[in-house]
Amino acid sequence: MASSIVSSAAAAAAAAVNRASPAQVSMVAPFTGLKSVPAFPATRKSDDITSFASNGGRVQCMQVWPPVGKKKFETLSYLPPLSREELLKEIEYLLRMNWVPCLEFELEKGFVYRKYHKSPGYYDGRYWTMWKLPMFGCTDPLQVFKELNEVIKAYPNSFVRIIGFDNKRQVQCISFIAYKPPGF
């Protein structure tokens, strides 16, 4: 009981000290933290983005992808075509992650495009034809590579991609172009 009396008395005393008249409440102390204007020299603005400093030097802009005549396909499409050894390494990675390999091919266009809808997020050309069934239980990259060669032999003018499914999460985890027809 005594502690509640002391604490309420202390609160009343603190409230009395913090009370201010209405005129004092609206007053604001002047801010004196800024330096005078001559301390900041005026800088000239330029539209040339190569003149902005990054680490003390001039920025050199690099064109990443030519916009005309080049199509983006899938993952790794910005690289030159993968060699046999590089394809086998990608397939080994797919199998090491316990993903199920599957091959798909497309006869007309191997890239996404817009033909029927102009709405955001909709693209045609996303769905390809599956070559046989997914290779459940496959553990040998050479077996997948053999199937790739069979697809190319059957459809030499098609795009072929290798995809990997995670059968536990029920999602496609990897997809990359394994073969492009001549001229692409």
Side-chain angles (χ1 to χ4, degrees), residues 144-162:
V144 178
F145 197 77
K146 181 182 170 226
E147 288 295 324
L148 174 63
N149 288 331
E150 287 185 27
V151 177
I152 295 169
K153 189 185 299 181
Y155 300 102
N157 292 324
S158 67
F159 294 87
V160 182
R161 69 181 172 191
I162 298 174

Side-chain angles (χ1 to χ4, degrees), residues 90-108:
E90 289 296 323
I91 297 168
E92 285 173 11
Y93 171 75
L94 183 151
L95 294 172
R96 192 170 53 248
M97 299 301 291
N98 294 321
W99 296 333
V100 178
C102 182
L103 280 78
E104 294 181 334
F105 65 97
E106 171 62 37
L107 295 172
E108 296 176 18

Side-chain angles (χ1 to χ4, degrees), residues 122-156:
Y122 178 85
Y123 294 95
D124 297 303
R126 294 175 294 170
Y127 303 108
W128 292 22
T129 305
M130 189 183 304
W131 171 260
K132 298 185 179 179
L133 292 174
M135 300 175 76
F136 295 103
C138 177
T139 57
D140 184 16
L142 292 174
Q143 184 181 2
V144 178
F145 197 77
K146 181 182 170 226
E147 288 295 324
L148 174 63
N149 288 331
E150 287 185 27
V151 177
I152 295 169
K153 189 185 299 181
Y155 300 102

